[in-house]
Amino acid sequence: ETGVTQTPRHLVMGMTNKKSLKCEQHLGHNAMYWYKQSAKKPLELMFVYSLEERVENNSVPSRFSPECPNSSHLFLHLHTLQPEDSALYLCASSQDWLQKQYFGPGTRLTVL
Amino acid sequence: DAKTTQPTSMDCAEGRAANLPCNHSTISGNEYVYWYRQIHSQGPQYIIHGLKNNETNEMASLIITEDRKSSTLILPHATLRDTAVYYCIVRGETSGSRLTFGEGTQLTVNP
C-alpha cells in the first residue's frame, strides 16, 4: 500500500468510447504523474503536474486529456483510443517534482 | 540525464545476497543514482537513492564507486518476493529533470 490509489484497476473499452482513469494520493504530495507501460516496453512519462499546473506533456496524442482539479486527484480522460493504446497506465506522486515517486497499482486498459 | 546500462537478467538463491550492477559512465556531478523495482503487474516501488556516499535503508544498500561511474544495489538476504525488474536511473536534481526508466534487470530469486 503506497498511499496512491487508482481506479478502475481494469478497463476494457471500444474505440468510440469515452472513459476516465482516476488517481488519488493520500500523502500530501504536490506533484502527480501519468505513465504508460506497454507490453515489453519501458515506462513512458506522459504528463507531470506540479501544484495542479501541468509542467510536462511529452508529445502525448490529444485523445489523452489529463485533469488535475486539486493536489490529491489526477484524472486521465480517454476518447477515441486505438488498440495500440492498450497498456498499463500508472499514476505516481511525489512531495515535489524532484523527489522520489510513489506509484499506484495501475489501470490495465484494453482497447478493442 | 545520464544513460545507464544494466544486465538484462540475473538469478539469485533465496537467502543469499543479490548484487545488481549498474553502469553510468556519463554521470555528472549533480546527478543522483536512483533504484526502483517493479514486481510483475504492479506499480514501481522506490528502493533507494544516493549521490556519492554509500547508502543503506531497510530494503537495500547502495554502493557507488568513487568515480561515480557505476553502482551496485545489494539486497542482503533475497527472498522470493524480491523477484522483480530492478531499474537503475540517473537523475539530476534540477528543474525539469525527469525519471527515465530503461529496460532494467529481471532478478529471479530461486528457492
Side-chain angles (χ1 to χ4, degrees), chain A residues 1 6 13 16 21 35 42 46-47 61 65 67 71 83 99 101:
Chain A
E1 184 61 49
Q6 291 186 242
M13 60 186 288
T16 58
L21 309 185
Y35 288 84
M46 299 175 74
F47 301 103
S65 175
E67 179 190 1
S71 59
Q99 302 301 315
Q101 295 176 23

Side-chain angles (χ1 to χ4, degrees), chain B residues 55-104:
Chain B
E55 302 286 346
T56 296
N57 63 20
E58 66 279 2
M59 288 184 70
S61 294
L62 174 60
I63 309 297
I64 303 174
T65 58
E66 193 169 341
D67 62 8
R68 302 187 69 238
K69 293 183 185 300
S70 65
S71 60
T72 301
L73 178 75
I74 301 173
L75 308 178
H77 305 287
T79 70
L80 299 179
R81 286 179 293 182
D82 292 322
T83 293
V85 178
Y86 286 77
Y87 299 99
C88 170
I89 302 166
V90 171
R91 180 176 184 230
E93 293 290 341
T94 56
S95 178
S97 178
R98 66 179 63 178
L99 203 61
T100 302
F101 288 81
E103 303 287 342

Side-chain angles (χ1 to χ4, degrees), chain A residues 35 37 42-43 45 56 58 88 90 97-101 103-105 108, chain B residues 34 36 38 41 43-44 46 87 91 93-96 98-99 101-103:
Chain A
Y35 288 84
Q37 188 172 32
L43 278 82
L45 179 64
E56 195 155 337
N58 294 318
L88 181 67
L90 291 154
W97 67 323
L98 302 177
Q99 302 301 315
K100 61 187 179 186
Q101 295 176 23
F103 285 79
R108 174 72 60 186
Chain B
Y34 280 77
Y36 283 75
Q38 187 174 22
S41 293
Y46 166 83
Y87 299 99
R91 180 176 184 230
E93 293 290 341
T94 56
S95 178
R98 66 179 63 178
L99 203 61
F101 288 81
E103 303 287 342

